[in-house]
């Protein structure tokens, strides 16, 4: 059973229609964010604003094949329930998806999410 | 008088020696972050994890010349003391620098900080 859900950083309608990644927000340097854009993007930044969550996210993102079992990424110095709690927060923010296969739950970072986050922080090209 | 200070996202010694930008951390997808790297990067993400702070940051980052006076960016629906409080948080996280010139304090986003943040979220090139 898949727990995959719509990622809040993307615009689901446009993504579904075209299959392309449509980030929620322009680059931070392009124009002041609207209140709605700021709500969406701040949720993602807040989820990464904890050292343990950031280590877990990095462990999943850098794992072979772009996905990791809880058993692969629990080496961050906190208890298993705390790991599960933080993974849930990352899922709730739309940064990870998960899927149960047999005994284990596997976590995956959507490449489209990384692309959307990277776009937020893109700087304007020289001369623009 | 300048309030410019060392930006925690960069490694000050290397930056001073070479003048080049040395981000604190590898891309999130490269390998699991160490505890120290996660502490540094999480501080920055946490600072951006509030909608009002994100709007203020975006307002400064997108303002003409890359800097803005408080008088330019207070249109975010909160009181002036709250604006000042959030700008201080962004400064403490090393995301903004400030300088008083005459009556006003001007805020600036360091391009090197945006570059370091963008590198964190860079995805590995195809085939890597």
């Amino acid at each position: 059973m898949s727990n995959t859900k719509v990622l809040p950083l993307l615009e689901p309608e446009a993504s579904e229609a075209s299959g392309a990644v449509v980030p929620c927000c322009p680059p931070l340097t392009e124009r002041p964010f609207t209140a709605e854009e700021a709500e969406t993007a701040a949720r993602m930044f807040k989820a990464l604003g904890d050292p343990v969550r950031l280590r877990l996210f990095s462990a999943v993102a850098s794992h072979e094949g772009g996905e990791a079992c809880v058993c692969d990424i629990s080496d961050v110095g906190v208890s298993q329930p705390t790991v599960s709690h933080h993974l849930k927060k990352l899922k709730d923010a739309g940064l990870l998806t998960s899927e149960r296969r047999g005994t284990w739950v596997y976590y995956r970072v959507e490449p489209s999410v990384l692309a959307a986050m990277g776009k937020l922080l893109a700087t304007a090209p020289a001369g623009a």
Side-chain angles (χ1 to χ4, degrees), chain A:
Chain A
M1 190 176 68
S2 170
N3 288 325
T4 303
K5 60 178 181 177
V6 172
L7 303 169
L9 259 188
L10 311 176
E11 291 171 6
E13 283 179 28
S15 297
E16 280 167 19
S18 66
V21 174
V22 182
C24 76
C25 312
L28 280 160
T29 54
E30 194 170 294
R31 59 166 172 73
F33 272 25
T34 66
E36 191 182 13
E37 289 166 345
E39 285 284 347
T40 305
R43 198 179 313 134
M44 176 273 291
F45 283 123
K46 189 175 180 182
L48 296 179
D50 175 276
V52 172
R53 281 203 294 277
L54 198 53
R55 289 185 75 185
L56 289 171
F57 183 81
S58 172
V60 174
S62 63
H63 203 261
E64 202 179 332
E67 72 171 14
C69 169
V70 174
C71 55
D72 295 322
I73 57 172
S74 294
D75 185 24
V76 291
V78 297
S79 68
Q80 178 61 53
T82 303
V83 167
S84 296
H85 165 80
H86 283 305
L87 288 169
K88 183 175 186 312
K89 290 255 184 183
L90 289 166
K91 277 184 61 180
D92 290 347
L95 294 174
L96 294 181
T97 56
S98 70
E99 189 182 0
R100 178 175 289 278
R101 294 205 295 273
T103 308
W104 294 104
V105 178
Y106 289 81
Y107 291 87
R108 173 175 287 279
V109 177
E110 285 296 318
S112 57
V113 169
L114 279 176
M117 289 161 67
K119 183 172 173 179
L120 274 182
L121 295 168
T123 46

